[in-house]
Each structure stands twice: as C-alpha cells, then as structure tokens.
C-alpha cells in the first residue's frame, strides 16, 4: 500500500486507515483476524475514540492485538475525545482524564495522534493548549488534530497551541461532497455554491494538514451505505462500470475516487470484514483518470456549472 505523511509530523502511514468503532462487537479471535489482515495489507493506522463501544472498542483492540512493545512499534494509534453524554467537553480536565482512560484501555504508554472529536463551542482554547502541552511534555501524546472543524475554529486553537494540528477528520464520499461542491460553484446563486465549512479543504491543504475522510461509503450521517443501494442507481452503475474496467470492486472504486484527489486525503474505513478490507485496499494500486473522477462525481447527482 502507498504511504502518506500525516500533516507535518514524522508519522508515515498507509494511505487507508481502519476505523475501529465496531470492533467492540467482535470476539477477540475475530478482532485479531481483522487487525492481522489489515497489517498484512499495509493498513497500519488504527482510528479509535473514547466513546466507541463506550471504551470497549479500545479494550478489545488491545486484547486482540496482544499489545506489547514489539507490536506497538508496528502500528500507529489514533484516538479522540470530547463527546460526552448529551454534550461536548474540551475542558483541560476532561482531555487529560480521557487520555489516561485510552492509554489504559489500549495498553500503551503513548498515542501517536490525538484528536478533538467534534467542535465544543464552549471551548476555551487556552485550556486545550495547556492540556496538549502537558500531554506532549509527558510523552503520552505525540501529535494532535481535530475532527469536523472549520478554519476559524482551527485558527483559534492554533493561536494558543505550541504544535501544529496534523489532522482534520471530515465526512467525505462521492455522494457527500459539500467541501468539493463549493469549489466548483464560485460566485453562483445556487445551493452548491454555499460554503458550509469555511473552505476547510483549501485551508487544510494550505496548512499541510491531512484530511481524513470518515464514512467514505455512507450517505448522510447514519442513513447507511450508498453502494449497492437501489436509491442511488446512477452512481452505482458508474461504480460497477469502472470496477469492471479496473478489475476491482465497486467499493475499491469509491475509495479510489477519494484517493485521486491531490490533497492526499486518507479514507477511514470502518469495515470489520477481512475480505472487504482486502477489496478496499486494492484502491491504493489504481488511479482514476480525470474524466473517470468527474464521471463519478456527476453520476452521484452533482452538476458542473
């Protein structure tokens, strides 16, 4: 699998990462199979959050991989904090407590990349900076990032932080493209021209931040997959056509569509099916042509101006 660098860090990882939200639903044996399969494919960044499985996802992962020093050197661990029961919390106290909980559940001494999970509008950036400094100086966290934040939210944080933010997780799939739509429809009076995220895509590229695409096979936030969904006939027909042309699966083509973007966007895929992950990983070895990329974009219902 091709490698990418996360932001301005020294973390070199596979260009596709595995999201571990659902690993809590697996037995230790099945989870071990998923992780081992991922590593064989070159997928070595594992994305967690303290709320996944209410902490159980991190526990199951550590048990399944038989975490020890030798294993730890072969993987990159990313986890997130900030979502609590009915509210968001970026207080210094919660960040520090959350890190300790994740370290304990993951059975590790350090986290490679630690993200703030969705914006907390009551955030006091000075507190976040104090927490991050404490974690960095103690060696418990190597690098920091955010998820679902717009440029001004990131700028507010950066005013106080000592270190770069290396990652921003944003929802992106061929049927969920607001960060791309606005770039086509500049100075136009139509809905796609509305800048919904403050030009997060361009901001991250200008600041050498890696965008991690979550839900790359979903439509909406929780509605389900669009691949193989009869409600999306045109995009599925085009996915099938390109899959046959490149001798891969439709899921691989949907992944390749994201990888084709020059921003080096890293898809976070959440499958716990070993064969499906193998299919997805083949996307790393194909590159859609410019016409193919645009064909898929238009087949998803997007109109070029």
């Amino acid at each position: 699998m091709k490698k990418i660098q996360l932001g301005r860090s020294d973390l070199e990882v596979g260009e596709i990462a595995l999201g571990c939200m659902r690993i809590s639903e697996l037995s230790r044996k099945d989870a071990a199979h998923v992780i081992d399969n991922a590593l064989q494919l070159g997928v070595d960044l594992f994305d967690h959050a303290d709320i996944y499985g209410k902490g159980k996802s991190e526990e199951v992962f550590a048990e399944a991989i038989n975490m020890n020093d030798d294993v730890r050197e072969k993987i990159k661990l990313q986890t997130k904090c900030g979502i609590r029961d009915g509210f968001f919390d970026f207080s210094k106290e919660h960040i520090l407590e959350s890190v300790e909980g994740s370290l304990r559940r993951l059975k590790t001494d350090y986290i490679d990349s630690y993200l703030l999970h969705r914006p907390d509008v009551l955030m006091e950036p000075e507190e976040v900076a104090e927490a991050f400094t404490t974690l960095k100086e103690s060696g418990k966290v190597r690098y920091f990032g955010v998820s679902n934040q717009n440029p001004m939210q990131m700028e507010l944080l950066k005013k106080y932080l000592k270190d770069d933010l290396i990652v921003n997780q944003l929802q992106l799939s061929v049927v969920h493209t607001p960060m791309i739509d606005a770039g086509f429809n500049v100075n136009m009076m139509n809905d796609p021209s509305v800048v919904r995220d403050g030009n997060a895509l361009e901001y991250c590229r200008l600041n050498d931040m890696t965008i991690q695409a979550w839900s790359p096979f979903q439509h909406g936030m929780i509605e389900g997959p669009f691949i193989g969904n009869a409600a999306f006939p045109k995009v599925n027909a085009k996915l099938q056509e390109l899959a046959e042309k490149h001798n891969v699966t439709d899921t691989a083509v949907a992944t390749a569509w994201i990888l084709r973007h020059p921003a080096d966007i890293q898809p976070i895929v959440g499958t716990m099916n070993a064969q499906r992950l193998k299919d997805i990983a083949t996307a790393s070895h194909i590159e859609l042509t410019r016409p193919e990329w645009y064909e898929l974009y238009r087949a998803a219902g997007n109109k070029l101006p």
Side-chain angles (χ1 to χ4, degrees):
M1 176 174 292
K2 295 177 184 176
K3 296 285 187 178
I4 62 168
Q5 180 182 349
L6 286 188
R8 293 173 179 166
S9 76
D10 64 356
L11 299 176
E12 189 178 66
V13 297
E15 65 177 348
I16 297 170
L18 185 67
C20 296
M21 183 172 68
R22 297 182 181 87
I23 204 167
S24 61
E25 302 169 7
L26 303 183
S27 67
R28 177 175 177 174
K29 179 180 178 181
D30 289 343
H33 179 60
V34 169
I35 297 167
D36 182 62
N37 177 65
L39 291 172
Q40 290 183 34
L41 296 169
V43 176
D44 55 2
L45 174 66
F46 298 91
D47 177 71
H48 293 269
D50 57 358
I51 64 163
Y52 292 168
K54 297 182 178 180
K56 187 179 178 182
S57 291
E58 292 176 329
E59 291 178 350
V60 170
F61 178 89
E63 292 171 0
I65 204 171
N66 191 24
M67 189 70 77
N68 57 55
D69 291 343
D70 290 338
V71 168
R72 186 66 183 87
E73 291 181 0
K74 299 175 183 178
I75 64 174
K76 300 296 186 291
L77 288 177
Q78 176 172 281
T79 193
K80 305 179 284 292
C81 81
I83 298 179
R84 304 189 71 175
D85 188 11
F87 64 104
F88 302 135
D89 189 352
F90 288 175
S91 65
K92 177 181 178 180
E93 180 183 20
H94 179 64
I95 292 171
L96 296 178
E97 288 179 353
S98 180
V99 168
E100 292 299 331
S102 289
L103 290 172
R104 183 178 64 254
R105 291 186 294 269
L106 288 167
K107 298 182 180 179
T108 185
D109 296 326
Y110 67 97
I111 294 164
D112 294 291
S113 177
Y114 197 69
L115 277 53
L116 299 176
H117 204 175
R118 292 201 168 276
D120 171 17
V121 298
L122 300 183
M123 174 189 74
E124 298 182 45
E126 300 93 333
E127 275 199 41
V128 175
E130 289 174 8
F132 282 9
T133 297
T134 297
L135 293 169
K136 184 68 176 285
E137 291 179 350
S138 67
K140 294 178 179 179
V141 175
R142 297 182 64 192
Y143 298 100
F144 300 92
V146 296
S147 74
N148 307 292
Q149 291 207 11
N150 66 39
M152 287 300 101
Q153 290 169 326
M154 290 182 277
E155 280 294 305
L156 179 58
L157 268 174
K158 287 167 64 176
K159 178 181 178 181
Y160 299 94
L161 298 180
K162 295 181 179 180
D163 299 293
D164 291 328
L165 295 170
I166 67 168
V167 163
N168 189 9
Q169 282 194 0
L170 296 164
Q171 185 177 7
L172 175 67
S173 74
V174 70
V175 301
H176 182 91
T177 57
M179 75 170 77
I180 291 173
D181 300 340
F184 284 125
N185 294 273
V186 176
N187 195 35
M188 298 187 69
M189 295 291 289
N190 58 12
D191 185 66
S193 71
V194 177
V195 178
R196 303 178 187 279
D197 58 12
N199 297 112
L201 173 62
E202 290 80 6
Y203 175 89
C204 289
R205 294 186 74 183
L206 285 168
N207 288 274
D208 298 320
M209 293 179 67
T210 296
I211 291 176
Q212 293 178 330
W214 58 269
S215 289
F217 313 123
Q218 304 286 317
H219 67 98
M221 283 190 63
I222 58 174
E223 285 80 352
F226 64 87
I227 297 177
N229 188 331
F232 299 88
K234 291 185 178 180
V235 72
N236 275 289
K238 181 56 67 174
L239 285 170
Q240 286 292 339
E241 176 188 325
L242 293 175
E244 292 176 8
K245 178 179 178 181
H246 291 279
N247 195 30
V248 294
T249 65
D250 49 2
T251 308
V253 175
T255 307
W257 185 86
I258 295 173
L259 295 176
R260 177 63 176 80
H261 196 283
D264 286 335
I265 298 170
Q266 183 184 42
I268 304 288
V269 303
T271 182
M272 294 290 105
N273 182 294
Q275 183 57 54
R276 190 163 189 240
L277 186 57
K278 288 181 181 179
D279 294 339
I280 292 168
T282 62
S284 186
H285 306 296
I286 64 172
E287 181 171 329
L288 299 180
T289 65
R290 184 177 258 102
E292 288 171 341
W293 190 92
Y294 276 94
E295 286 169 8
L296 265 176
Y297 179 78
R298 289 186 285 108
N302 302 300
K303 295 181 179 180
L304 295 176

